[in-house]
Amino acid sequence: MEKWNQTSNDFILLGLFPQNQTGLLLLFFIIFIFFLASVGNSAMIYLIRSDPRLHTPMYFLLSQLSLMDLMYLSTTVPKMVFNFLSGQKGISYLGCGVQSFFFLTMACSEGLLLASMAYDRYVAICHPLHYCIRMSKRMCVKMIMGSWILGSINSLAHTVYALHIPYCQSRAINHFFCDVPAMLPLACMDTWVYEYMVFVSTSLFLLLPFLGITASYGWVLFAVYHMRSKDGRKKAFTTCSTHLTVVTFYYAPFVYTYLRPSNLRSPAEDKILAVFYTILTPMLNPIIYSLRNKEVLGAMMRVFGIYSSIKL
């Protein structure tokens, strides 16, 4: 039986895996994925910075996506691994707040960034003559700064409120990181008003960008369908399908997790979905953008001297 001082302000993270050999094996698998994702996203950032041919708005936005994915991983995985290997499950009050803040910031900012990337493809394909004006360096910086700032403000508001809720039950969070919805069942007050605010916030930062992405790619697909050049149509379709794959991997688990009523959610299901968008998706993003992108593969050969025989 694990001892815990209920008068402490600290929390307990129950974790993802059981403390046995199966759990250890699964943990090593997560560590392997963490290593691949860290290397892949770091390499993508270095590649975009090093190759002048990738100094375009699309790849500038992509480098920010890789940076956010790196921060996603660093926010959740190291603490989970440390707790499992050390046998400790505690996380300090301040540590829980910091973890929650950075997780929510990345979640909100990445949704807005994906909408900016969709707009970039919409302008590039539907209004190519206006691309340099609409997607200037200044505009690109504004999009990125807006994503970070809005995500941080929203995250700060939720984190501060969640940490000021009185917790009079067990402080054992049934998750592997400090996720606000997983903390609410521990509160000794009625949180339905705040749960409603979480729903509204999620709708603003997930559904509205998703509607923008859907509209952008709807116009893109319409324009691609009417292209006369078969090569141009193929290139545009490949680029857009890559982006849509990333959008699907990001939005599907988030929407399913945060827009469901609390009475229909289960901790086990939430933890599995969280693994998908905090660990698996950051690993898949650089793979998707590199294997299906001739420009990135070409940059890999120029910068790293890698020869790729992959057919696109």
Side-chain angles (χ1 to χ4, degrees), residues 227-255:
M227 280 185 177
R228 295 182 180 180
S229 170
K230 185 178 292 187
D231 292 337
R233 188 162 58 240
K234 181 180 178 182
K235 181 179 179 181
F237 181 79
T238 301
T239 302
C240 293
S241 63
T242 299
H243 291 186
L244 284 173
T245 302
V246 172
V247 168
T248 302
F249 283 151
Y250 175 80
Y251 276 99
F254 256 120
V255 170

Side-chain angles (χ1 to χ4, degrees), residues 3 6 13 80 108 116 199 203 220 269 283 310-311:
K3 295 181 180 180
Q6 291 295 328
L13 294 175
M80 179 184 69
C108 298
S116 299
F199 178 83
S203 299
V220 165
E269 197 173 54
M283 179 199 70
I310 299 175
K311 287 186 177 181

Side-chain angles (χ1 to χ4, degrees), residues 267-289:
E269 197 173 54
D270 285 350
K271 286 192 283 188
I272 293 173
L273 290 170
V275 169
F276 198 90
Y277 56 74
T278 60
I279 302 174
L280 293 180
T281 301
M283 179 199 70
L284 292 173
N285 283 350
I287 296 175
I288 293 170
Y289 277 107

Side-chain angles (χ1 to χ4, degrees), residues 5-303:
N5 182 10
Q6 291 295 328
T7 63
S8 171
N9 286 328
D10 296 346
F11 293 93
I12 301 174
L13 294 175
L14 296 182
L16 183 62
F17 304 124
Q19 293 279 348
N20 54 32
Q21 290 185 346
T22 302
L24 184 62
L25 182 63
L26 292 172
L27 183 74
F28 283 139
F29 180 65
I30 292 294
I31 293 174
F32 177 69
I33 293 176
F34 173 78
F35 173 77
L36 289 180
S38 299
V39 171
N41 285 289
S42 299
M44 185 66 73
I45 294 172
Y46 177 77
L47 199 66
I48 293 170
R49 287 177 59 88
S50 301
D51 195 315
R53 300 187 189 184
L54 299 184
H55 292 176
T56 62
M58 183 180 80
Y59 292 107
F60 189 32
L61 294 172
L62 179 57
S63 68
Q64 291 298 304
L65 180 66
S66 294
L67 177 60
M68 290 179 182
D69 284 342
L70 278 174
M71 294 184 69
Y72 249 140
L73 293 163
S74 302
T75 299
T76 57
V77 177
K79 181 60 178 175
M80 179 184 69
V81 172
F82 173 79
N83 281 5
F84 186 95
L85 295 179
S86 66
Q88 302 175 4
K89 295 186 177 182
I91 183 170
S92 67
Y93 180 84
L94 178 60
C96 191
V98 170
Q99 192 179 59
S100 176
F101 171 76
F102 280 104
F103 169 76
L104 290 173
T105 298
M106 296 308 108
C108 298
S109 300
E110 189 161 323
L112 297 174
L113 186 70
L114 289 172
S116 299
M117 295 174 72
Y119 177 75
D120 171 80
R121 291 301 84 201
Y122 161 74
V123 176
I125 294 173
C126 298
H127 303 281
L129 298 180
H130 298 161
Y131 184 76
C132 294
I133 299 174
R134 293 194 183 185
M135 286 302 298
S136 63
K137 186 175 182 179
R138 184 187 182 95
M139 177 59 68
C140 200
V141 171
K142 285 182 178 180
M143 286 180 170
I144 292 171
M145 292 298 294
S147 298
W148 283 100
I149 292 172
L150 290 175
S152 298
I153 292 173
N154 180 69
S155 173
L156 183 63
H158 283 289
T159 302
V160 170
Y161 187 89
L163 291 182
H164 281 79
I165 292 176
Y167 295 99
C168 57
Q169 300 182 28
S170 168
R171 287 179 171 263
I173 302 173
N174 195 357
H175 217 299
F176 61 91
F177 66 94
C178 288
D179 189 26
V180 171
M183 298 167 65
L184 295 182
L186 308 180
C188 57
M189 58 176 283
D190 192 351
T191 60
W192 73 269
V193 174
Y194 178 63
E195 289 179 17
Y196 177 76
M197 294 306 298
V198 171
F199 178 83
V200 172
S201 175
T202 303
S203 299
L204 290 175
F205 281 88
L206 285 180
L207 290 186
L208 287 184
F210 181 74
L211 291 175
I213 291 170
T214 303
S216 296
Y217 284 119
W219 283 108
V220 165
L221 291 176
F222 180 79
V224 168
Y225 179 77
H226 289 86
M227 280 185 177
R228 295 182 180 180
S229 170
K230 185 178 292 187
D231 292 337
R233 188 162 58 240
K234 181 180 178 182
K235 181 179 179 181
F237 181 79
T238 301
T239 302
C240 293
S241 63
T242 299
H243 291 186
L244 284 173
T245 302
V246 172
V247 168
T248 302
F249 283 151
Y250 175 80
Y251 276 99
F254 256 120
V255 170
Y256 187 71
T257 299
Y258 289 96
L259 292 184
R260 280 182 301 161
S262 57
N263 61 327
L264 298 179
R265 298 173 60 177
S266 69
E269 197 173 54
D270 285 350
K271 286 192 283 188
I272 293 173
L273 290 170
V275 169
F276 198 90
Y277 56 74
T278 60
I279 302 174
L280 293 180
T281 301
M283 179 199 70
L284 292 173
N285 283 350
I287 296 175
I288 293 170
Y289 277 107
S290 60
L291 294 183
R292 302 192 65 183
N293 191 311
K294 288 183 178 180
E295 293 177 343
V296 173
L297 289 174
M300 289 172 63
M301 288 186 282
R302 289 189 295 272
V303 175

